[in-house]
Amino acid sequence: MNECVLPRPDDWHLHLRDGADMASVVGYSARQFGRALVMPNLKPPVVSVQMALAYRSRILAALGPASASFKPYMTLYLTDQTSADEVRAAAQSEDILAFKLYPAGATTNSESGVTDLRRCEAALAEMEKQGVVLCVHGEVTDPQVDVFDREAFFIDRVLIPLRQRFPGLRVVFEHITTSQAADYVRQAQEPIGATITPQHLLFNRNSLFQGGLRPHYYCLPVLKRESHRLALLEAATSGSPRFFLGTDSAPHARNTKEMDCGCAGCFSAPDALALYAQAFESVGRLDRLAGFASHHGAAFYGLESSSETIRLVRSAQTIAESLPFGNGGQTIVPLAAGQRLDWALAN
Ligand code: NCD
Ligand code: ZN
C-alpha cells in the first residue's frame, strides 16, 4: 500500500496555548485536521463560556484564511466552583463540547483543578442531564501511589464510583496509557470513549532513558512499559468505536523542558497523522486508521464525519529537530525529532 485516503480526520484532544505561542503552532493542526477539541488549561484556566468563546475567536484570528477549513471546538475547565448554570450555558453553545476534569495537581496547569469530585455534584448532574461530555485526565494524585500506577488506581478509586453515581454521563477517558484503561473502556457500560496519543502507541518508557534523560518524551500520563503500549495499539486498531484520535499535542518551549524540573507534554502536532499511520502500519492495520482518526470520535460527539478527504502517501521524511515557537526567538522540539517517517500528507 503506497497511499492511504481517509475522510479529513479530527483531533479530539489538543493543547494550543495562547497568544504568539498559539499562533506559531495552530497551523500544524489545521493542515491535517478538520476539527479539534481544544483543552482549557491556560493561565488563567478557561472556566466560563465567555472565556471559551473569546479564546476560540483568538484561535480563528490567528489562523486567518486557514480558519475556513478548521473548526476548533472548546472545552471548559471543571473546578470546585463550576455551577449548573455554567453547564447549561455551555450546553447551549454549539462551539463548546465538553468540560475537562483535571484532578488538582495531576498535570500541567492543573492547580485550579478539582480537589474532590463531591464538590462538583451539581455540575456533573447537569452535564448528565444536558448530554455534555466530561473529558477526564485519569490519574490519582495521591503521592503514595507510584507514578506508573496512577491511571490504574484512578479507574477503581474515581472513575467507577463516578459512573455509578452518573450512569448517563458521557465520559471520555483521555490519553489512556495502560492495558487496564483499554480493558476498562472496552468492557464498560456506555456511554464511554477514550483518546489515544501517538507517543503512547509508538513508544514505551525506555524512550525516556535512551542513552540519557530524554525530556521531549516526557508527558503525563507518563509512557508505560511495552506490554501497555501493545495493549493500546491493539485497542486503537481493533475497530472499536470507543477508541479515537486525540494527540494531546502539548507545546512547551525547549528551555522549559530541558531543565531541572522540566514541563510535561509532547509536541506531536507537526507530524501527528503520519505518526499514527506509522503506528497502525506497524501492525498491518492501516485499513483501520480511518475509523480511529475520522469516524469514531465524531460519532461519539454526535457529529458527522468529514465529507472532505485527505491523502497520505508513502514518502520518507525526517521529523524536524527543532521548530520556531512564539515570537521571542524560542524553539520547540517535536515528538520523535530527527526520526524517520514513512508517510507524508499529500497537498
Ligand atoms: C499537558 C499540557 O502540557 O498542557 N501535558 C501533558 O503532559 N500531557 C496537560 C495534560 O494533558 O495532561
Ligand atoms: Zn492534554
Side-chain angles (χ1 to χ4, degrees):
M1 202 143 112
N2 287 317
E3 72 167 26
C4 180
V5 178
L6 55 161
R8 183 173 284 283
D10 305 305
D11 183 351
W12 296 108
H13 186 128
L14 178 63
H15 299 270
L16 288 175
R17 315 307 184 204
D18 208 348
D21 293 349
M22 178 265 285
S24 69
V25 300
V26 64
Y28 297 119
S29 297
R31 204 171 77 82
Q32 301 160 80
F33 299 102
R35 296 168 289 201
L37 188 59
V38 181
M39 293 297 128
N41 60 334
L42 303 182
K43 280 181 174 172
V46 178
V47 293
S48 68
V49 169
Q50 200 188 351
M51 289 175 85
L53 297 181
Y55 181 30
R56 185 171 189 275
S57 302
R58 296 194 295 279
I59 294 167
L60 293 174
L63 274 169
S67 65
S69 59
F70 182 71
K71 193 169 165 62
Y73 284 107
M74 310 310 289
T75 53
L76 298 195
Y77 194 116
L78 185 70
T79 73
D80 291 354
Q81 281 79 41
T82 303
S83 67
D85 280 347
E86 202 66 57
V87 175
R88 272 189 292 277
Q92 296 302 308
S93 169
E94 59 178 38
D95 296 322
I96 297 172
L97 290 184
F99 279 74
K100 177 70 186 281
L101 163 62
Y102 291 104
T107 187
T108 306
N109 296 348
S110 64
E111 299 78 12
S112 315
V114 172
T115 61
D116 185 340
L117 262 182
R118 281 173 296 193
R119 302 211 162 117
C120 303
E121 292 278 297
L124 293 168
E126 196 62 29
M127 273 177 231
E128 181 182 41
K129 187 168 154 200
Q130 302 283 343
V132 173
V133 170
L134 180 68
C135 296
V136 173
H137 183 109
E139 289 191 288
V140 296
T141 53
D142 181 348
Q144 301 295 318
V145 176
D146 188 278
V147 68
F148 292 99
D149 296 332
R150 288 184 182 176
E151 182 174 280
F153 272 68
F154 183 88
I155 298 168
D156 294 326
R157 285 196 191 171
V158 183
L159 192 54
I160 290 174
L162 168 71
R163 300 192 69 235
Q164 272 162 358
R165 280 195 58 66
F166 302 101
L169 184 63
R170 305 180 60 71
V171 171
V172 179
F173 196 166
E174 297 292 336
H175 43 54
I176 59 168
T177 66
T178 57
S179 61
Q180 290 94 328
D183 289 345
Y184 174 75
V185 170
R186 191 182 295 108
Q187 55 75 41
Q189 286 279 321
E190 284 196 298
I192 190 157
T195 54
I196 309 181
T197 76
Q199 64 267 26
H200 294 102
L201 292 175
L202 287 167
F203 305 111
N204 63 39
R205 63 194 192 181
N206 286 359
S207 297
L208 286 164
F209 310 107
Q210 201 77 57
L213 197 54
R214 299 289 189 168
H216 301 290
Y217 289 82
Y218 173 57
C219 66
L220 288 171
V222 71
L223 293 173
K224 303 296 192 298
R225 63 167 66 241
E226 178 67 0
S227 57
H228 294 293
R229 185 185 78 83
L230 293 173
L232 297 171
L233 200 48
E234 202 287 316
T237 61
S238 67
S240 162
R242 294 188 176 192
F243 299 103
F244 41 88
L245 188 157
T247 61
D248 192 25
S249 179
H252 292 277
R254 175 177 210 143
N255 63 304
T256 65
K257 287 188 69 72
E258 298 176 0
M259 64 184 302
D260 63 351
C261 187
C263 296
C266 295
F267 178 52
S268 60
D271 297 298
L273 201 58
L275 287 163
Y276 281 111
Q278 201 87 18
F280 275 62
E281 186 169 46
S282 74
V283 288
R285 274 293 172 197
L286 267 180
D287 60 318
R288 297 257 167 95
L289 183 60
F292 178 80
S294 314
H295 297 301
H296 301 166
F300 187 89
Y301 282 102
L303 301 166
E304 298 287 323
S305 304
S306 176
S307 53
E308 279 174 58
T309 55
I310 59 147
R311 201 158 59 92
L312 283 165
V313 290
R314 189 177 298 285
S315 157
Q317 42 162 340
T318 305
I319 299 179
E321 296 282 357
S322 167
L323 294 164
F325 185 54
N327 60 6
Q330 291 189 301
T331 59
I332 187 164
V333 178
L335 177 68
Q339 291 191 35
R340 205 186 103 113
L341 280 175
D342 296 327
W343 293 92
L345 201 60
N347 296 321

